[in-house]
Amino acid sequence: SITRWHDEYCTALEAHRARLHPDFPTAPRPSIAIEWTKAQWAGIYSRKRHQCCYSLSYFTLNPDDYEVTVAHECVHAYHYPIFEHVQRNKIKLHGEGFYHLMRDVLGFVLADHWHNHDVARAKKICEAAMLAEQLTGMASVPNTTQEMRP
């Protein structure tokens, strides 16, 4: 589901950018990493690596509610390329542009910039998965870390 959502939202944001800026070169799609995170974050976008990172701990906790986290990180990846005609220091990380993309482009009517997940439960899930991995010497979930570029 995470990979499918990531691809779906990147595609929608790329199409939106192409409509706004048909003469601009295509922005590269962000890579994706899916991993156990000890509940430090539910999702995070790294501009340096141009990568959206997603937490298996939070996804396992509530897969149905995790979709908004994937959308959130994809918006961060495309936020600057879509609004590159605006001075960078005028673009707010969670400003009007961010909410426009979340609500009007991706359809999240109640979009917020906070990830709303149960941190204590996510930590327990991660600890159990890591313990199982240590005891068995195998990853508790196959392919827990993925690096993909389309």
Side-chain angles (χ1 to χ4, degrees):
S1 292
I2 293 173
T3 303
R4 181 176 48 81
W5 290 328
H6 178 84
D7 288 341
E8 179 182 328
Y9 296 130
C10 286
T11 299
L13 291 160
E14 288 163 0
H16 182 70
R17 182 177 186 270
R19 282 190 304 276
L20 289 176
H21 310 295
D23 298 332
F24 287 10
T26 304
R29 182 169 284 196
S31 64
I32 178 175
I34 303 170
E35 57 195 34
W36 294 108
T37 63
K38 296 184 183 177
Q40 299 100 316
W41 40 261
I44 194 165
Y45 169 68
S46 167
R47 283 182 64 195
K48 182 178 180 180
R49 294 190 315 261
H50 192 48
Q51 180 178 65
C52 295
C53 303
Y54 304 109
S55 167
L56 276 173
S57 307
Y58 287 99
F59 175 74
T60 302
L61 178 64
N62 199 342
D64 294 332
D65 287 343
Y66 197 76
E67 184 176 1
V68 71
T69 300
V70 175
H72 179 119
E73 301 313 328
C74 289
V75 165
H76 282 311
Y78 287 90
H79 193 188
Y80 285 109
I82 287 174
F83 296 106
E84 63 190 334
H85 60 285
V86 178
Q87 286 182 314
R88 284 203 181 253
N89 61 352
K90 302 275 187 198
I91 300 173
K92 293 185 179 177
L93 193 60
H94 295 111
E96 289 178 35
F98 173 86
Y99 288 110
H100 161 69
L101 296 174
M102 285 293 289
R103 292 180 179 138
D104 302 331
V105 177
L106 300 185
F108 287 89
V109 178
L110 299 175
D112 194 356
H113 69 271
W114 300 107
H115 298 296
N116 297 308
H117 301 286
D118 185 335
V119 175
R121 287 185 59 209
K123 283 182 180 179
K124 288 178 185 176
I125 288 169
C126 183
E127 288 167 3
M130 292 179 135
L131 179 60
E133 191 173 312
Q134 287 174 353
L135 293 174
T136 64
M138 295 173 40
S140 54
V141 174
N143 300 321
T144 55
T145 302
Q146 303 175 36
E147 290 262 354
M148 295 181 268
R149 285 202 185 270

